[in-house]
Amino acid sequence: MKITGICNNKDILSELGNRIQQYRISLNITQSDLAQKCGISTKTVARIESGDDLKFSNLVKILNEFGLLENLNILIPELQPDYKAMFEEKAAKKRARPTNKASGNDWVWGEDEGENET
């Protein structure tokens, strides 16, 4: 099964577990051996392979053991530098802020002052 944006979380976890199981078997590694090498329990490996929810740190350990850790660069690629901002000497953004354009709140300082002068 190909993982797409229309898959639900349960299907994605099931597919990841199935892929981990297939990869482990192709490397001729038992669940017990994989668990020992990753520092997790055999029961955790079995739950992951059955499609149960997993901790990201356990996935990282398994990918590292399989020699697939660099594939995380594909999962979440590094952002490319914003060259425009560099030339404009703007500071790099450190957080996202909501925009107020859709709120309809166009209040301006001093707009109330003219109303009381009658």
Side-chain angles (χ1 to χ4, degrees), residues 75-93:
L75 177 65
I76 305 173
E78 245 183 299
L79 282 177
Q80 297 300 315
D82 185 357
Y83 294 108
K84 182 179 177 184
M86 292 170 79
F87 286 115
E88 294 175 358
E89 296 185 25
K90 290 184 179 177
K93 289 180 74 169

Side-chain angles (χ1 to χ4, degrees), residues 11-30:
D11 290 341
I12 292 169
L13 288 170
S14 179
E15 180 62 21
L16 286 176
N18 187 38
R19 291 181 189 186
I20 288 170
Q21 181 181 37
Q22 289 175 357
Y23 210 90
R24 175 184 59 76
I25 291 170
S26 74
L27 294 173
N28 200 28
I29 301 173
T30 65

Side-chain angles (χ1 to χ4, degrees), residues 26-43:
S26 74
L27 294 173
N28 200 28
I29 301 173
T30 65
Q31 285 182 339
S32 179
D33 288 341
L34 180 61
Q36 185 178 11
K37 290 177 182 181
C38 293
I40 58 179
S41 71
T42 304
K43 188 175 181 179

